Amino acid sequence: MKNLKQRISSTMKQLVTWLVAGDYDAIEKYTGGVRLSANLISVAIFEYGHKLVMPPTDIFENLYTVEVIGASPRKWHVEINWWTEGDGRSDWTLECTFIDSQESLLKAEVDNLHML
């Protein structure tokens, strides 16, 4: 199995891939719709008004990650900036909670989509 840093990176990369592709239903299915449904994600992206693109690959290796102390199973708060066509890095972020699991990807919840 991958080490923890690789699992966090791979999980975020999958979520961002779905976000950029506009596959909000896949995000809702993967996260169980906890906190944000596909519809709420769609509305946030529409209101943002810019075309999202995948960030450079190295961004996934340097994610802002904080372990939630005392959580069982283990949990991490993880953030990544959105990237847009033409503008690059955005002030908007995707905030998630990742939860330890036996799978290669961690369980995930989308906590927020917002401007810093």
Side-chain angles (χ1 to χ4, degrees):
M1 186 180 293
K2 298 177 183 178
N3 71 37
L4 179 60
K5 185 174 180 175
Q6 291 171 323
R7 293 173 69 212
I8 289 172
S9 175
S10 295
T11 303
M12 184 60 84
K13 190 170 190 173
Q14 181 59 70
L15 290 171
V16 171
T17 297
W18 286 327
L19 191 66
V20 168
D23 195 349
Y24 313 129
D25 289 330
I27 296 171
E28 181 177 348
K29 182 177 179 184
Y30 190 77
T31 64
V34 175
R35 292 185 194 77
L36 292 178
S37 66
N39 186 57
L40 288 173
I41 295 169
S42 175
V43 168
I45 300 298
F46 177 78
E47 288 178 354
Y48 179 58
H50 297 275
K51 180 175 173 32
L52 300 182
V53 296
M54 288 299 290
T57 305
D58 65 325
I59 296 299
F60 293 100
E61 303 305 319
N62 299 299
L63 298 169
Y64 176 79
T65 305
V66 176
E67 184 165 4
V68 177
I69 303 300
S72 181
R74 291 176 71 191
K75 294 182 181 182
W76 300 268
H77 173 82
V78 186
E79 296 179 8
I80 189 170
N81 286 87
W82 297 4
W83 286 69
T84 62
E85 187 175 76
D87 294 329
R89 185 178 175 160
S90 166
D91 289 341
W92 284 74
T93 61
L94 167 64
E95 292 186 5
C96 300
T97 297
F98 289 172
I99 304 159
D100 205 3
S101 70
Q102 298 301 314
E103 306 300 320
S104 61
L105 294 180
L106 300 164
K107 292 181 183 178
E109 298 171 354
V110 174
D111 298 327
N112 206 352
L113 303 167
H114 69 95
M115 184 185 293
L116 287 176

